[in-house]
């Protein structure tokens, strides 16, 4: 009996080991990059000098541990839904995260690096020369180089879209997936106009606070699956797959 139990344990360890092997994505040349920030206690959160408190609480029971997670809808890597900016739409079907078009959140994506000394204005958008037909773009900005998510507190002068940059994107491209590497797609003093511009399109999904350390510019496939929450935003797990993945 004892022997068979230890065999089982060994087998499941082997199983876990083989899972671990495939999840680093190295087998068959297909590489997977996890571009999601881990959700954890004290992680930086919008507007706070202290970080998010009491996100995860674990309780010791008689034999096992169970826990609760309490996350703001905009904590960590997350998507925004149209009702984020239109409170009147919150209760209505179609405007919350559960109704977002998953096709927008999966497929080919271009990672572009933006100039380090500028926000994403119309001039910057124009200068990026994003090829026509591009539907999904992840903007890798100075936020990643400056490691803003490693500071432990909210940094207000982060890089984001200005109102002119968002306008330009809506008018001149077919981009529906707008990824960025800090808590908001918009610079702090233009949060409202940028979100109105992007979200009134009813097609564009801002994917905020992506973890882009070590991600080279170029073409990938992206897969982002948000928690199916009836809310104006929700945490999302995002991965990039390189061209060798099918
Ligand atoms: C946007 O899509 C339309 C309709 O498919 C197409 O005619 C147009 O060339 C596209 N524009 C860009 C910039 O991708
Ligand atoms: C943001 O503010 C910090 C501290 O004042 C400064 O060192 C940094 O250069 C600023 N970054 C930007 C992008 O303005
Ligand atoms: C981007 O905009 C923010 C907010 O206006 C500002 O604090 C920051 O310095 C700007 N960044 C750059 C690189 O100009």
């Amino acid at each position: 009996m004892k022997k068979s139990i230890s065999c089982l344990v060994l087998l499941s360890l082997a199983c876990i080991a083989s899972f671990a092997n495939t999840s680093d994505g190295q087998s068959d040349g297909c590489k997977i990059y996890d571009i999601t920030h881990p959700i954890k206690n004290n992680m930086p959160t919008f507007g706070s000098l202290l970080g998010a408190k009491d996100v995860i609480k674990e309780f010791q029971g008689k034999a096992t541990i169970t826990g609760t997670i309490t996350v703001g809808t905009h904590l960590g890597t997350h998507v925004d839904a149209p009702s984020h900016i239109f409170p009147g739409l919150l209760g209505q079907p179609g405007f919350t995260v559960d109704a977002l078009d998953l096709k927008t959140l999966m497929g080919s994506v271009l990672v572009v690096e933006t100039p380090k000394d500028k926000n994403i204005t119309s001039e910057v958008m124009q200068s990026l020369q994003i090829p026509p037909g591009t539907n999904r773009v992840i903007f890798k900005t100075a936020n990643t180089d400056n490691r803003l998510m490693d500071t432990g507190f909210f940094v207000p002068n982060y890089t984001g879209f200005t109102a002119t940059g968002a306008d330009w994107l809506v008018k001149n491209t077919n981009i529906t997936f707008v990824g960025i590497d800090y808590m908001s797609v918009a610079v702090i003093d233009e949060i409202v106009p940028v979100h109105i511009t992007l979200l009134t399109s009813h097609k564009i999904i801002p994917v905020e606070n992506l973890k882009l350390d070590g991600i080279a510019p170029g073409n990938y496939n992206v897969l982002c699956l948000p928690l199916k929450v009836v809310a104006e935003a929700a945490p999302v797990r995002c991965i990039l797959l390189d061209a060798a993945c099918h």
Side-chain angles (χ1 to χ4, degrees), residues 46-65:
F46 195 89
S48 167
L49 291 178
L50 298 172
K53 296 292 167 214
D54 299 326
V55 174
I56 299 166
K57 287 187 190 168
E58 313 251 52
F59 307 96
Q60 177 72 57
K62 278 211 178 84
T64 56
I65 296 176

Side-chain angles (χ1 to χ4, degrees), residues 115-119 142 156-160 162 187-190:
K116 304 300 170 201
D117 56 341
K118 293 190 176 88
N119 280 304
N157 62 351
Y158 61 87
T159 301
T162 66
V187 291
I188 195 157
D189 36 16
E190 295 181 64

Side-chain angles (χ1 to χ4, degrees), residues 81-126:
S83 53
H84 179 38
I85 217 75
F86 304 112
L89 296 177
L90 194 52
Q92 297 188 31
F95 297 99
T96 39
V97 172
D98 54 305
L100 291 176
D101 188 354
L102 293 180
K103 280 190 180 155
T104 304
L105 293 169
M106 55 199 285
S108 58
V109 67
L110 178 67
V111 177
V112 292
E113 239 167 332
T114 66
K116 304 300 170 201
D117 56 341
K118 293 190 176 88
N119 280 304
I120 309 175
T121 58
S122 53
E123 291 80 18
V124 167
M125 276 305 294
Q126 201 159 3

Side-chain angles (χ1 to χ4, degrees), residues 85-225:
I85 217 75
F86 304 112
L89 296 177
L90 194 52
Q92 297 188 31
F95 297 99
T96 39
V97 172
D98 54 305
L100 291 176
D101 188 354
L102 293 180
K103 280 190 180 155
T104 304
L105 293 169
M106 55 199 285
S108 58
V109 67
L110 178 67
V111 177
V112 292
E113 239 167 332
T114 66
K116 304 300 170 201
D117 56 341
K118 293 190 176 88
N119 280 304
I120 309 175
T121 58
S122 53
E123 291 80 18
V124 167
M125 276 305 294
Q126 201 159 3
S127 73
L128 292 176
Q129 302 196 317
I130 293 166
T134 304
N135 297 125
R136 298 178 199 80
V137 179
I138 292 174
F139 297 87
K140 184 178 179 187
T141 75
N143 297 334
T144 296
D145 307 65
N146 296 337
R147 308 195 71 86
L148 297 192
M149 283 300 284
D150 295 342
T151 58
F153 51 84
F154 175 64
V155 177
N157 62 351
Y158 61 87
T159 301
F161 274 82
T162 66
T164 67
D167 243 26
W168 198 94
L169 181 145
V170 168
K171 293 196 176 120
N172 299 284
T173 77
N174 289 330
I175 297 168
T176 51
F177 177 116
V178 182
I180 192 115
D181 50 4
Y182 201 54
M183 298 180 197
S184 177
V185 68
V187 291
I188 195 157
D189 36 16
E190 295 181 64
I191 283 194
V192 173
V194 168
H195 280 83
I196 288 180
T197 300
L198 297 181
L199 294 174
T200 45
S201 74
H202 291 290
K203 291 198 296 269
I204 293 173
I205 305 179
V207 184
E208 297 169 323
N209 218 353
L210 291 166
K211 185 178 188 304
L212 301 181
D213 315 75
I215 304 296
N219 292 295
Y220 299 84
N221 280 306
V222 70
L223 180 59
C224 286
L225 294 178

